[in-house]
Amino acid sequence: LLENLLQWARSQSGALVAIRESVNLATECDAVVSQLSDMASRKSITLTASCDPELWAFVDSNMYAFVVRNLVTNAIKFTPVGGKVDIYVSRNGATIQNKVVDNGVGMSPETVANLFALSTQEQQRGTMNEKGSGLGLVLCKEFLAYHRSELHVESRIGEGSTFWFNLAVGGALPR
């Protein structure tokens, strides 16, 4: 929470600078899986990454890793014991589609509609009473805006959620 607050404060004050470089997205996703595998295994959740090893994007690696890590952490938090969370990174024309898919508790349309509004954030507990502030998704949205991308979500109660965003292939940013 403290790290999220510090990042958010930097982004609001204009002190946050995106340092873009060519990044192999499979390497970044594998690192997230490695970092969060213990969290997933505590709930017997299968955590996998299916990422094309040849995909590179011109991104701030710290921001990209934060977004993927936050989406996966949330997916684990809201997925019951024995569930699954998958990361998919694949080329889709001139963009790279990044998805985090879970078979967790899902969300109502009203919750989805207010998901990225800081003023309407409510504390929701995970399936094992894990805490969350809701600030992480707001930061994800802001970090993706630095990359001219948007965070999207589809969710149904009892069926899980899919969060996704697109990035430009290689070194160019999308217009």
Side-chain angles (χ1 to χ4, degrees):
L1 176 61
L2 181 57
E3 182 60 32
N4 285 353
L5 287 170
L6 289 172
Q7 290 285 13
W8 182 76
R10 285 186 204 113
S11 73
Q12 296 302 300
S13 69
L16 189 62
V17 177
I19 302 172
R20 294 181 180 95
E21 59 188 341
S22 188
V23 173
N24 181 277
L25 301 182
T27 301
E28 295 294 323
C29 289
D30 289 344
V32 169
V33 169
S34 178
Q35 291 168 352
L36 298 177
S37 62
D38 285 345
M39 181 183 184
S41 61
R42 282 193 293 274
K43 291 177 77 173
S44 299
I45 291 174
T46 303
L47 175 59
T48 63
S50 176
C51 305
D52 181 340
E54 300 302 316
L55 289 178
W56 293 74
F58 195 62
V59 297
D60 181 295
S61 61
N62 291 325
M63 287 183 185
Y64 179 79
F66 177 91
V67 170
V68 175
R69 189 173 47 250
N70 188 274
L71 295 177
V72 171
T73 298
N74 285 347
I76 293 169
K77 189 184 307 180
F78 294 104
T79 297
V81 171
K84 65 179 184 168
V85 175
D86 299 304
I87 305 168
Y88 299 100
V89 180
S90 60
R91 188 167 182 152
N92 185 12
T95 62
I96 300 169
Q97 187 172 65
N98 297 258
K99 284 182 168 180
V100 175
V101 181
D102 67 62
N103 66 344
V105 297
M107 295 175 280
S108 70
E110 295 79 24
T111 299
V112 170
N114 293 312
L115 207 51
F116 304 112
L118 192 56
S119 61
T120 60
Q121 285 297 326
E122 56 186 67
Q123 290 230 353
Q124 294 194 352
R125 299 276 182 162
T127 58
M128 292 183 71
N129 211 28
E130 302 99 327
K131 294 180 182 179
S133 67
L135 184 57
L137 286 177
V138 173
L139 274 171
C140 287
K141 182 179 177 183
E142 289 189 22
F143 286 178
L144 289 171
Y146 276 95
H147 294 87
R148 298 185 189 155
S149 184
E150 294 179 1
L151 186 56
H152 305 275
V153 61
E154 287 181 1
S155 187
R156 290 188 171 203
I157 292 178
E159 296 181 20
S161 301
T162 299
F163 285 82
W164 81 93
F165 59 94
N166 294 320
L167 297 171
V169 173
L173 290 172
R175 295 191 187 272

